[in-house]
Amino acid sequence: MTSSKSGVSRRQFIATSLAGGAALALSRGKAFAQAADTLKVGFVSPRTGPLAGFGQTDGYVLDLARKALAGGLEIGGKKYSVEIIDQDTQSDPSRAGQLAKDLINNQAIDLMLAVSTPEVINPVADACEAAGVPCLSTVMPWEAWYFGRGAKPDAPSPFKWTYHFGFGVDEFFRTYVSQWNLIETNKKVGVMYPNDADGNAIRAHLAPLLAKQGFTIVDPGAYETGTTDYSSQIALFKQEGVEIFNSFPIPPDFAAFWRQAAQQGLIKQIKICQVAKTGLFPSDIEALGDLGSKISSAAYWHKAFPYKSPLTGVSGTELADGYEAASGKQWTQQLGASMSLLDAGFEALKASTDAKDKAAVAKALSTLNTETMIGKVDFTSGPVANVSPGPIIGTQWVAAKEGAKFPLDYVVTENATDPKVPVEAKLQPYNG
């Protein structure tokens, strides 16, 4: 029977439908096979917002990684294509958690990589732990990651899927004692630790260790992120005669504090200004103008580190020089840190018995012992389960030599946590 309206017979309609169904089934089968042979890796970092300095170099590092993986990754005799899906948290912890859930539920990632600060890492790690997805992270004190997410001292780790490597309180302690003893001071330390995961971990664990080494800690109490008036803290530091200043602020908060400290005369008595979380990147220091020179910092990676990336094969100098040539901007320590996260993550995938089995990847993370661009990552001998400690190296921002490409130079001044990193310069007092 023929339809006069459509001109299509029932037989033709059935044939067409069957052909279409077969094509759709073939397409689905092909897509399924492609998914089975493709490893999806999520990469979450802060590319914009107040923490954007941490994510500034990630695009360059990811480009290098994607080029190195363009031909696929061979694991256990099987070749996989690799897709790295990077996301910007915009420095918002809520958004970080939402992005993680999207990568887990909608993108079906096989491994999550998260980098830079508790505001990014902790919500991502929590989402992965809840969903049973292996997650590796770096660039925040491990205590703020471990205890800040509910682990208890002297109790078994509550984490099965999430792992973190990098510096902790012990590394800061060793570095600060080493660095601060390079200059004669009265050992009075004015501290400003914010009311956040970093600040609370540092106050609880680092300050007591420094006090045992003979440093007098002058702590006006936790301040809230976004504070605009620091007059009371400055008055206390002046009254107590502190000669060392230490803080773990976000960049806008430190800039506001340090400018007020200059206006109110505090910085005249400061011999060492040691900042962490801010002061890590050239843009942070340049924004302070003349007040930025001779600020001390600490590096979780420096181009002087004598290690190569196993993923890309580049050395520290090659990574820094390549970034400067490509971007026209000065290198930052985040280059090596983000590269090391990719190094360690793909080493874990290669070490797993089945890269598409999340439990197998998590087990590979738990026994990972490899060398990355920051040095060793070893989860077999950490201070607690799920953690591999890493170095922090004493550094200082100084005026660059005449004719240099950039106004500031970032020099290594001590190396207590990794003697393989060469010391480049003598620490200069901020004043005096």
Side-chain angles (χ1 to χ4, degrees):
M1 183 178 179
T2 302
S3 167
S4 59
K5 291 184 179 180
S6 65
V8 179
S9 71
R10 177 180 176 84
R11 183 178 296 172
Q12 288 173 321
F13 176 78
I14 292 172
T16 302
S17 298
L18 288 173
L24 182 61
L26 183 64
S27 173
R28 284 177 177 167
K30 189 175 181 181
F32 179 81
Q34 186 179 17
D37 294 336
T38 299
L39 291 174
K40 288 189 173 185
V41 177
F43 185 96
V44 182
S45 67
R47 304 278 284 270
T48 56
L51 301 172
F54 286 94
Q56 175 185 301
T57 62
D58 283 345
Y60 179 76
V61 171
L62 288 166
D63 282 347
L64 291 183
R66 287 176 175 127
K67 288 174 183 174
L69 294 162
L73 189 67
E74 188 167 319
I75 302 173
K78 182 175 181 179
K79 194 72 164 284
Y80 294 89
S81 61
V82 177
E83 183 181 357
I84 302 175
I85 308 169
D86 59 290
Q87 299 285 359
D88 171 22
T89 69
Q90 299 175 6
S91 304
D92 182 343
S94 296
R95 177 175 166 82
Q98 291 165 0
L99 290 172
K101 290 173 184 176
D102 177 69
L103 287 167
I104 293 165
N105 298 323
N106 299 324
Q107 303 292 337
I109 59 168
D110 300 292
L111 172 67
M112 181 80 79
L113 303 177
V115 64
S116 302
T117 79
E119 290 82 3
V120 173
I121 293 171
N122 283 359
V124 172
D126 286 344
C128 289
E129 193 69 40
V133 172
C135 175
L136 182 64
S137 55
T138 191
V139 186
M140 66 175 282
W142 70 257
E143 291 88 351
W145 178 89
Y146 190 73
F147 299 117
R149 296 176 53 230
K152 304 296 182 185
D154 303 319
S157 170
F159 309 125
K160 178 182 178 182
W161 300 97
T162 50
Y163 294 82
H164 182 83
F165 70 90
F167 54 85
V169 165
D170 183 63
E171 286 74 34
F172 276 112
F173 168 67
R174 291 163 60 196
T175 295
Y176 284 0
V177 169
S178 174
Q179 178 104 313
W180 296 352
N181 283 333
L182 294 173
I183 291 176
E184 186 175 343
T185 69
N186 62 8
K187 291 196 169 186
K188 287 190 174 183
V189 186
V191 303
M192 281 203 359
Y193 300 147
N195 182 25
D196 63 14
D198 274 342
N200 295 333
I202 292 299
R203 175 179 286 100
H205 301 283
L206 176 62
L209 292 175
L210 292 170
K212 288 180 181 178
Q213 284 292 313
F215 293 96
T216 300
I217 306 300
V218 180
D219 186 356
Y223 71 93
E224 297 300 325
T225 296
T227 296
T228 57
D229 184 358
Y230 298 92
S231 299
S232 62
Q233 292 97 329
I234 291 168
L236 177 63
F237 295 154
K238 288 175 67 177
Q239 178 185 324
E240 295 294 327
V242 303
E243 292 183 348
I244 302 172
F245 173 73
N246 179 223
S247 187
F248 283 69
I250 64 172
D253 289 357
F254 176 69
F257 169 80
W258 203 235
R259 290 190 181 104
Q260 290 174 34
Q263 293 164 359
Q264 297 174 36
L266 171 63
I267 66 171
K268 293 178 182 178
Q269 69 192 51
I270 299 297
K271 294 184 178 179
I272 299 174
C273 173
Q274 185 91 45
V275 291
K277 194 170 181 177
T278 191
L280 303 177
F281 312 121
S283 57
D284 296 342
I285 302 301
E286 288 172 7
L288 295 170
D290 293 341
L291 298 176
S293 183
K294 298 182 184 177
I295 283 178
S296 298
S297 180
Y300 39 81
W301 180 79
H302 191 284
K303 66 178 183 177
F305 274 38
Y307 311 109
K308 284 190 173 185
S309 160
L311 177 62
T312 63
V314 300
S315 68
T317 300
E318 289 169 341
L319 183 63
D321 290 350
Y323 174 75
E324 289 185 349
S327 69
K329 297 178 180 178
Q330 191 168 1
W331 72 274
T332 85
Q333 60 181 283
Q334 191 62 38
L335 282 163
S338 292
M339 183 64 79
S340 72
L341 180 61
L342 291 157
D343 287 338
F346 281 97
E347 287 298 306
L349 286 171
K350 288 194 289 186
S352 66
T353 55
D354 182 354
K356 297 296 290 185
D357 181 340
K358 292 180 173 58
V361 175
K363 184 176 181 181
L365 283 170
S366 72
T367 59
L368 187 65
N369 185 355
T370 189
E371 188 171 282
T372 73
M373 181 143 262
I374 67 154
K376 180 169 279 194
V377 173
D378 178 10
F379 285 103
T380 67
S381 59
V384 293
N386 301 74
V387 166
S388 170
I392 274 283
I393 301 294
T395 51
Q396 187 174 39
W397 293 99
V398 297
K401 295 177 181 177
E402 189 174 347
K405 289 188 294 184
F406 302 100
L408 294 167
D409 197 7
Y410 193 50
V411 295
V412 174
T413 52
E414 73 79 48
N415 62 358
T417 63
D418 189 348
K420 293 180 181 178
V421 178
V423 173
E424 301 173 308
K426 183 178 180 181
L427 184 70
Q428 301 177 42
Y430 187 83
N431 275 304

